[in-house]
């Protein structure tokens, strides 16, 4: 049974310096901890070598990754996250997979859910209790929930199990271990993410100035990214999270900002928080990024370590627009499928010039093979899953 940890929404956030001191002073996290570079809120860095027990040092890796994912426990999200976690476990068995040392779900929900026994879970008290069932924008709880996780880690530093913290979304399919930035990249950057083309701060200069004052710098300093996929050391997550939480709340309280920034407004809040904390982000373009490939926009995995199936993969005939094959996460919202995840039918054998995606792009051999690769990995993960009982309400 995975341990349940809970947060306290009403308590005053633990100051960043206190958490950093806790991380520096009392941490001995078994065999998988290397070192964490700690710093103050102002950005001055202090290198602290983590203590390792006798015998642990030989097995410890200096570059370890603790994966985090937030969620509200809905069947829609739990269906996805069970697949993501299963493919993560598959990747742990690969060469290089040993650096993936921990996976924690940060659940913003009023009560435990059915996944508690399957995935290591920290339960944060939600800002929107109604999101246990349904709400318009549950993601606005994310920054607050992550802050609660770090508050708890101030009291129990063993909760942070890797040098690096990697935030993902629930709809990822792990295909291979995530490569860490090389020395040159680490010298130039503090954060590594994905360049979402729909996050464009320069397109909303007035909105950005509500969040990022002139004294902070030019709007061009705000990266076009979001909190997932995002790789940073623990100290930098701790630095950025209070501003992420604060800015998300500011946006949610401003109807004009909510309308202007739309469903990605929390991603803008996170991007502004990075800029406010002067955390320079490396954003390699699709095809070169080490993070995600998005089918069918991308044609292959490329240099990425995971697929992100946020887009529809629905095949239609070119001739008469008839249905051929489909996989879309939005078809899988039932409680039953989240508790007993069914295998996904593979697409039919490729036929040149016969099909298109629902958006109109022709289905070529390369992207068809990538979809087969993704569905095959998802099914390999699903085969590892056991049916789970519904949590008590």
């Amino acid at each position: 049974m995975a341990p349940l940890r809970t947060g306290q929404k009403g308590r005053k956030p633990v100051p960043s310096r206190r958490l950093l001191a806790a991380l520096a002073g009392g941490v001995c996290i078994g065999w998988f901890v290397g070192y964490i570079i700690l710093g103050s809120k102002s950005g001055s860095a202090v290198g602290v070598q983590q203590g390792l027990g006798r015998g642990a040092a030989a097995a410890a890796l200096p570059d370890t990754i603790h994966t985090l994912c937030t969620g509200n426990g809905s069947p829609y999200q739990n269906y996805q996250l069970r697949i993501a976690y299963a493919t993560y476990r598959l990747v742990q068995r690969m060469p290089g997979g040993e650096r993936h040392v921990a996976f924690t779900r940060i659940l913003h929900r009023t009560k435990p859910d059915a996944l508690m026994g399957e995935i290591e879970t920290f339960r944060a008290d939600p800002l929107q209790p109604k999101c246990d069932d349904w709400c318009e924008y549950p993601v606005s709880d994310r920054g607050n929930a992550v802050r609660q996780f770090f508050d708890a880690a101030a009291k129990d530093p063993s909760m942070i199990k890797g040098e690096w913290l990697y935030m993902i979304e629930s709809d990822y399919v792990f295909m291979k271990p995530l490569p860490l930035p090389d020395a040159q990249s680490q010298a130039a950057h503090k954060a590594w993410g994905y360049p979402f083309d729909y996050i464009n701060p320069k397109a909303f200069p007035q909105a950005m100035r509500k969040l990022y004052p002139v004294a902070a710098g030019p709007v061009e300093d705000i990266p076009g990214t979001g909190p997932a996929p995002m790789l940073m050391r623990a100290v930098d997550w701790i630095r950025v999270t209070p501003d992420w939480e604060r800015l998300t709340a500011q946006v949610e309280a401003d109807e004009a900002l909510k309308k202007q920034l739309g469903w990605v407004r929390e991603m803008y809040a996170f991007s502004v928080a990075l800029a406010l904390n002067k955390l320079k982000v490396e954003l390699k373009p699709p095809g070169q990024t080490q993070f995600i490939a998005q089918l069918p926009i991308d044609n292959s995995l490329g240099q990425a370590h995971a697929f992100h199936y946020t887009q529809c993969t629905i095949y239609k005939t070119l001739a008469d627009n008839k249905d051929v094959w489909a996989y879309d996460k939005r078809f899988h919202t039932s409680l039953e499928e989240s508790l007993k995840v069914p295998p996904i039918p593979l697409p039919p054998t490729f036929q040149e010039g016969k099909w298109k995606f629902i958006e109109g792009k022709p289905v070529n051999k390369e992207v068809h093979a990538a979809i087969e690769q993704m569905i095959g990995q998802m099914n390999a993960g699903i085969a590892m899953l056991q049916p789970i009982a519904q949590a008590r309400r």
Side-chain angles (χ1 to χ4, degrees):
M1 180 70 70
L4 165 64
R5 303 176 187 270
T6 59
Q8 292 295 325
K9 176 179 64 177
R11 292 182 179 177
K12 185 177 179 181
V14 175
S16 298
R17 289 180 181 176
R18 177 179 164 188
L19 177 50
L20 296 174
L23 282 169
V27 185
C28 181
I29 315 176
W31 62 270
F32 39 64
V33 176
Y35 61 89
I36 295 175
I37 304 300
L38 299 178
S40 69
K41 180 71 176 177
S42 65
S44 59
V46 179
V48 179
Q49 182 71 36
Q50 298 296 330
L52 294 167
R54 180 172 293 183
L61 296 173
D63 296 315
T64 49
I65 303 170
H66 186 159
T67 300
L68 304 174
C69 188
T70 66
N72 70 335
S74 68
Y76 171 68
Q77 199 167 51
N78 283 358
Y79 164 86
Q80 298 166 32
L81 187 57
R82 293 191 72 195
I83 297 172
Y85 180 60
T87 59
Y88 166 87
R89 289 170 59 198
L90 290 172
V91 162
Q92 282 185 301
R93 302 173 182 176
M94 299 178 183
E98 66 276 2
R99 63 178 167 267
H100 288 278
V101 298
F103 189 113
T104 300
R105 178 179 65 142
I106 300 175
L107 177 69
H108 41 89
R109 188 177 179 86
T110 63
K111 53 186 175 290
D113 74 348
L115 268 59
M116 290 293 191
E118 183 170 271
I119 303 173
E120 171 82 22
T121 296
F122 169 82
R123 190 189 66 79
D125 291 331
L127 294 173
Q128 305 175 86
K130 64 181 179 180
C131 294
D132 279 14
D133 297 314
W134 185 90
C135 65
E136 182 181 359
Y137 198 60
V139 75
S140 65
D141 281 17
R142 177 154 55 174
N144 172 268
V146 173
R147 191 267 298 162
Q148 291 184 54
F149 173 78
F150 286 130
D151 282 358
K155 299 175 182 177
D156 180 7
S158 70
M159 289 172 58
I160 297 177
K161 297 178 173 69
E163 177 189 357
W164 300 85
L165 299 183
Y166 177 39
M167 185 73 71
I168 67 164
E169 301 285 8
S170 58
D171 54 350
Y172 284 12
V173 181
F174 284 73
M175 301 301 296
K176 58 186 179 182
L178 175 68
L180 289 171
D182 61 25
Q184 183 177 3
S185 180
Q186 291 187 39
H189 305 92
K190 289 290 187 180
W192 291 261
Y194 184 84
F196 293 100
D197 57 8
Y198 49 80
I199 304 297
N200 185 8
K202 290 184 291 185
F204 303 104
Q206 291 182 335
M208 292 301 100
R209 281 306 180 204
K210 289 185 175 182
L211 307 174
Y212 192 70
V214 173
V219 170
E220 288 77 12
D221 287 350
I222 304 170
T225 188
M230 182 58 58
L231 180 71
M232 292 189 284
R233 287 185 170 88
V235 60
D236 293 316
W237 276 106
I238 291 164
R239 288 175 59 189
V240 79
T241 295
D243 284 322
W244 175 24
E245 178 186 16
R246 174 183 62 79
L247 292 167
T248 300
Q250 182 179 339
V251 172
E252 292 305 301
D254 188 321
E255 290 300 323
L257 275 178
K258 286 171 64 176
K259 183 176 180 180
Q260 193 167 18
L261 301 180
W263 66 273
V264 293
R265 56 191 183 266
E266 179 261 355
M267 297 173 69
Y268 275 102
F270 182 83
S271 297
V272 173
L274 288 173
L276 285 172
N277 286 277
K278 307 302 180 185
L279 296 175
K280 189 173 181 181
V281 190
E282 180 179 84
L283 300 173
K284 290 184 178 179
Q288 298 177 33
T289 178
Q290 69 270 44
F291 291 111
I292 54 173
Q294 303 187 104
L295 304 175
I297 296 174
D298 299 317
N299 283 328
S300 68
L301 186 63
Q303 299 299 310
H305 89 103
F307 286 116
H308 180 210
Y309 56 94
T310 190
Q311 305 295 325
C312 302
T313 48
I314 299 176
Y315 287 23
K316 298 275 190 177
T317 57
L318 277 171
D320 49 12
N321 206 43
K322 290 184 177 179
D323 293 338
V324 176
W325 175 85
Y327 178 75
D328 188 332
K329 65 182 182 179
R330 297 159 191 87
F331 298 161
H332 302 276
T333 61
S334 71
L335 176 62
E336 292 73 22
E337 283 195 310
S338 73
L339 299 176
K340 187 177 180 180
V341 181
I344 303 165
L346 287 167
T349 303
F350 177 71
Q351 297 182 48
E352 186 72 50
K354 296 290 186 179
W355 306 323
K356 64 180 179 180
F357 291 104
I358 192 171
E359 296 88 354
K361 176 182 174 179
V363 178
N364 61 46
K365 189 173 184 179
E366 184 181 22
V367 73
H368 179 81
I371 290 171
E372 288 182 319
Q373 181 187 20
M374 180 181 77
I375 299 297
Q377 180 79 339
M378 293 170 82
N379 281 335
I382 290 168
M384 298 167 57
L385 298 174
Q386 298 297 317
I388 55 179
Q390 182 176 354
R392 293 180 181 177
R393 297 186 65 83

